[in-house]
Amino acid sequence: MLATQILDPTPTGIAEAARLLREGNLVAIPTETVYGLAGDITNLHAISQIFASKERPTFDPLIVHISLNQKGSFLTYLEEDLQLVNLSDFSASTRQKIDHLLHCFWPGPLTIVLPKTSRVADLVTSGLGDVALRIPKHPITQAVLQASQTPLAAPSANRFGRISPTSAQAVLAELAGRIPCILDGGSCQVGLESTVIRIDLQGIPWLLRPGGLASEQIAAVWGEPLHLPNSEASQGSPGRLTSHYAPQKPLLLLPKPLAHFTENDWQIWREKLDPYPHLGVLRFVQPGDAVLDLADPWRKPVTVSLLSGVEDLPAAARGLFASLRTLDESPAHIIVSEPSPSMNGLGHAIADRLQRAAVKRMI
Ligand code: TXA
Ligand code: MG
């Protein structure tokens, strides 16, 4: 067991984090989306430690994070300065569109998957010919990237399959004793992982993972809707297992908001949940919703966690993982969640995470 040290994001703390990274150690770092477990992409020992400490299967590739200090276009930076990608098979017009897209959304919660060069080790990409790249916006992440002088591979800093951490305390709950150091940057602003897209050789945009940047915004810049992979195995991200982002307690996704429950619905769901003496309930509060005393209709003790509804999806996204963690740590035996308040914008990513957190069998 390692003693996991927590560093403050002072210039000394950032310099120490960068020193540890340069020497091949792992450091959990804040980003604007979620905390990442960072390691030097040029150090294979560090990369294999990332997989080991997360218990992540090596078929699930890592995102490479890079610093924002390019002089010319993003593509020149990626191809010539960093030599991470090889876009020689792309047409000039697709290259131009990709560069424009990156200028619109980098730094920020957008990850793009592009053909890699041999400078990116196969272990980072799980043997795939493409690498996932992101320039994070968080000033502390940028400071660490600048000081460590190397691109950093950083998956979310949770054990595999579990909820991504949005605070240093949540990283500690996941990885204490497994990693040497956490850089504490407070709570993450976005709260959901980045949106992952791939642009293929034909210039077709694929949405591999909905996330903290609304896919509608990407589509508006690209000029066509993003294509959805038709099966997880084909165009999807290899790590997109249907069960993911999961709390330790079972989570049931309700088919409709509680405010729309009829007496018949209450009866059906009370019966389903009869075996569980204490419920955790995740609610998305819509304007005009009555503040229900949920213990009354459920007829048993209830721990409630409230998130914003459709009028403030960024706030709902920001609080989602922390709410799931709170309910997971509460006395509840099972978590029931209202469905995402929207399927548009960040609502799509919230729905995706809830679906993957939910148990697959009906009770
Ligand atoms: O916001 C984020 O993206 C956070 C922060 C730390 O940057 N990182 C993150 O990493 O969520 P991770 O490893 O938990 O999720 C990365 C996703 C996985 O679904 C993985 O399969 C996909 O990106 N991915 C990575 N490389 C890929 C590649 N070469 N091709 C397709 N999908 C890839
Ligand atoms: Mg993850």
Side-chain angles (χ1 to χ4, degrees):
M1 284 272 281
L2 291 165
T4 303
Q5 179 196 8
I6 300 200
L7 294 173
D8 286 329
T10 57
T12 320
I14 288 168
E16 174 63 2
R19 185 188 65 80
L20 286 166
L21 286 162
R22 274 198 310 270
E23 289 176 0
N25 299 292
L26 304 188
V27 179
I29 56 170
T31 83
E32 73 277 25
T33 57
V34 299
Y35 275 71
L37 180 59
D40 177 354
I41 65 153
T42 64
N43 184 321
L44 284 184
H45 175 70
I47 300 303
S48 59
Q49 280 301 110
I50 291 179
F51 287 100
S53 39
K54 276 181 59 95
E55 295 173 43
R56 179 179 175 118
T58 48
F59 63 71
D60 191 1
L62 306 177
I63 295 175
V64 173
H65 297 68
I66 49 193
S67 68
L68 180 67
N69 60 2
Q70 93 279 13
K71 290 163 209 79
S73 78
F74 279 112
L75 283 195
T76 314
Y77 181 48
L78 295 176
E79 284 183 293
E80 290 171 24
D81 302 345
L82 299 174
Q83 298 179 8
L84 295 175
V85 302
N86 174 359
L87 299 186
S88 52
D89 289 339
F90 284 76
S91 70
S93 72
T94 302
R95 290 171 56 97
Q96 229 165 33
K97 281 178 77 176
I98 295 175
D99 211 18
H100 176 59
L101 187 76
L102 297 180
H103 271 282
C104 291
F105 298 118
W106 273 2
L110 172 69
T111 295
I112 189 163
V113 171
L114 294 170
K116 80 175 188 78
T117 64
S118 58
R119 222 203 129 198
V120 183
D122 287 337
L123 187 57
V124 172
T125 65
S126 303
L128 297 172
D130 291 333
V131 59
L133 299 153
R134 176 161 109 81
I135 300 192
K137 189 169 193 159
H138 198 304
I140 298 173
T141 330
Q142 279 302 325
V144 172
L145 283 161
Q146 301 276 354
S148 55
Q149 295 279 304
T150 175
L152 297 171
S156 51
N158 50 279
R159 277 172 280 151
F160 185 68
R162 295 186 21 90
I163 306 167
S164 297
T166 53
S167 67
Q169 289 67 35
V171 178
L172 205 56
E174 289 289 320
L175 298 175
R178 297 173 177 225
I179 58 170
C181 185
I182 302 170
L183 183 60
D184 187 350
S187 296
C188 299
Q189 269 294 308
V190 176
L192 291 178
E193 302 84 351
S194 62
T195 301
V196 182
I197 62 163
R198 171 195 285 123
I199 307 297
D200 69 19
L201 285 178
Q202 284 71 45
I204 294 171
W206 293 90
L207 178 64
L208 305 189
R209 175 177 75 180
L213 175 66
S215 60
E216 292 91 336
Q217 280 183 268
I218 303 170
V221 169
W222 196 261
E224 63 173 300
L226 303 189
H227 294 239
L228 295 176
N230 48 15
S231 94
E232 299 278 334
S234 63
Q235 293 280 346
S237 282
R240 302 273 295 143
L241 303 181
T242 41
S243 175
H244 218 121
Y245 312 102
Q248 277 161 310
K249 293 182 180 151
L251 182 144
L252 276 187
L253 200 46
L254 298 171
K256 53 167 111 158
L258 293 172
H260 298 177
F261 262 39
T262 60
E263 196 33 59
N264 193 36
D265 293 324
W266 281 113
Q267 204 174 334
I268 292 169
W269 282 88
R270 266 199 301 266
E271 260 168 49
K272 276 191 210 284
L273 295 168
D274 190 48
Y276 302 92
H278 189 132
L279 301 185
V281 178
L282 186 63
R283 290 205 71 192
F284 296 92
V285 183
Q286 311 288 349
D289 272 1
V291 181
L292 295 176
D293 174 12
L294 289 176
D296 183 33
W298 287 118
R299 298 188 188 150
K300 59 174 74 177
V302 175
T303 302
V304 184
S305 187
L306 297 179
L307 289 172
S308 306
V310 70
E311 80 289 357
D312 195 350
L313 292 174
R318 186 154 55 240
L320 178 67
F321 288 153
S323 284
L324 287 174
R325 258 175 213 285
T326 304
L327 293 174
D328 218 8
E329 286 158 13
S330 78
H333 299 96
I334 190 166
I335 302 169
V336 287
S337 173
E338 291 188 317
S340 174
S342 164
M343 282 307 290
N344 298 321
L346 293 181
H348 181 195
I350 293 172
D352 173 83
R353 300 306 186 272
L354 285 175
Q355 213 129 47
R356 288 169 202 275
V359 284
K360 294 298 165 292
R361 75 198 143 81
M362 272 314 285
I363 59 163

